[in-house]
Amino acid sequence: MDRLQFSAWQYVAEILPAEELPMLAAHALVDGRDSPALRELAGLPRRSDPAEARELYVLALCELGMPLPDEETAGRCLLVRLAFGLVHGELSPQDVGNGLSMTVTARTREETRFLSVAADYSEWLGPDELPGWEKELRTAAHSLAAATDLGPSIGVPCGRSD
């Protein structure tokens, strides 16, 4: 998956810290992307003015022809990406629970179920409750991964046959 595209979803969902933007830009340059704003952003120190970093980030995306997604699309893509990350072993159940944003959106039955189970995560889940929650989350993630039509747009194979 393209890390710059993924970052756009994170940015819209407000879970991408401004201090990470310069390093993200540097990685994009290494990956072969290039624009004046991207170069300028990559040169900023990590502790630079957050407003300046955000402005350069949005400008760089615009220069690269990558429009920011709407909030619903960004939220759904992040939710589906969390499910695929769990299914493929890239994320732990706790990573999924901690990776939720207030802007994550669910439209389908499978998205709603996965979001509902993931939102039940808490660091205060007892040791006797955690295994059951993890199993339920994995089941919901597999169901979502198999049913979604967003797989190709987030860089993973789609489980649904059209």
Side-chain angles (χ1 to χ4, degrees):
M1 175 192 7
D2 183 288
R3 83 174 101 200
L4 204 53
Q5 183 64 54
F6 184 64
S7 75
W9 304 330
Q10 292 175 307
Y11 181 83
V12 171
E14 299 177 0
I15 60 170
L16 180 63
E19 61 267 12
E20 291 182 17
L21 295 174
M23 186 56 73
L24 177 68
H27 283 292
L29 288 169
V30 169
D31 291 343
R33 306 266 183 165
D34 193 18
S35 84
L38 192 65
R39 287 191 300 269
E40 188 175 344
L41 178 58
L44 289 180
R46 185 171 167 83
R47 299 276 184 229
S48 58
D49 177 30
E52 179 184 9
R54 287 187 194 99
E55 183 179 325
L56 283 170
Y57 173 76
V58 172
L59 181 58
L61 289 180
C62 183
E63 290 173 351
L64 294 168
M66 298 178 72
L68 285 171
D70 61 84
E71 284 186 20
E72 180 181 343
T73 301
R76 287 184 69 217
C77 287
L78 282 170
L79 185 66
V80 169
R81 183 67 188 116
L82 288 170
F84 274 104
L86 181 61
V87 167
H88 293 179
E90 300 164 2
L91 299 172
S92 72
Q94 289 77 15
D95 292 336
V96 171
N98 291 328
L100 293 179
S101 158
M102 294 304 289
T103 60
V104 169
T105 305
R107 185 186 302 161
T108 69
R109 183 176 49 110
E110 293 84 6
E111 290 170 0
T112 302
R113 179 69 183 138
F114 180 73
L115 177 57
S116 174
V117 175
D120 284 342
Y121 175 70
S122 166
E123 62 188 49
W124 295 288
L125 279 176
D128 54 329
E129 299 169 303
L130 197 56
W133 173 79
E134 288 179 354
K135 182 179 181 194
E136 190 176 359
L137 183 65
R138 288 182 195 284
T139 300
H142 281 280
S143 294
L144 176 52
T148 189
D149 60 351
L150 292 176
S153 68
I154 63 170
V156 294
C158 188
R160 193 167 117 183
S161 56
D162 294 305

